Amino acid sequence: MGRMDGEISPDRVADLLTSEEPVTIVDVSEPVEFEVGHLPDSVNVPLSQLPQEIDRFDGADRIVTVCPRGEASVQAARLIAAYEGTADATIESMAGGIEAWEGELVSGMSHDDGDSADAENADADDAVGD
């Protein structure tokens, strides 16, 4: 079993995103929160769905979990670390969450193919009421 490797600062995450090092950014926010703003190249897997989706991270080298305030992401990192498919991965939670992130945020939903255009015109879908 792996274990969570601790927290990583938002500045260090920014460095990782611009480096050649492969990193998987897993945003465990609810989809509504994710649409408002998320880190570039992050994938949205809400914490409640993580147990069913965990095999997506099989064989990843480095995983950073992110959430709005840096609390749910700690839980998510522990959950991913307990998964046998990530035994060799470095798994960290971004300290302070999106609130502490000073870099660029992308809005709209991500697409699994990874080449989503900047979703600035996604405001039309925001009119969904609860």
Side-chain angles (χ1 to χ4, degrees):
M1 292 293 199
R3 60 175 189 72
M4 179 182 144
D5 293 290
E7 289 191 305
I8 183 171
S9 72
D11 286 349
R12 182 74 186 104
V13 174
D15 291 345
L16 278 177
L17 285 173
T18 58
S19 76
E20 295 297 308
E21 192 173 339
V23 61
T24 303
I25 309 286
V26 182
D27 190 321
V28 296
S29 306
E30 289 304 311
V32 173
E33 295 168 314
F34 185 81
E35 276 194 56
V36 171
H38 53 269
L39 273 62
D41 300 326
S42 57
V43 292
N44 184 212
V45 182
L47 188 58
S48 59
Q49 293 172 23
L50 194 55
Q52 301 90 281
E53 299 277 342
I54 199 134
D55 56 1
R56 290 173 63 171
F57 310 116
D58 237 342
D61 289 325
R62 186 165 197 163
I63 298 168
V64 175
T65 57
V66 178
C67 71
R69 285 165 293 285
E71 293 158 13
S73 58
V74 171
Q75 214 177 327
R78 288 189 181 127
L79 191 63
I80 293 170
Y83 172 60
E84 61 189 279
T86 59
D88 297 330
T90 299
I91 302 161
E92 297 156 309
S93 169
M94 189 173 86
I98 298 286
E99 285 183 1
W101 176 255
E102 292 176 357
E104 175 198 3
L105 285 176
V106 182
S107 60
M109 288 311 288
S110 74
H111 302 287
D112 283 337
D113 58 15
D115 63 9
S116 62
D118 278 352
E120 288 177 19
N121 298 328
D123 294 346
D125 323 321
D126 290 355
V128 181
D130 278 351

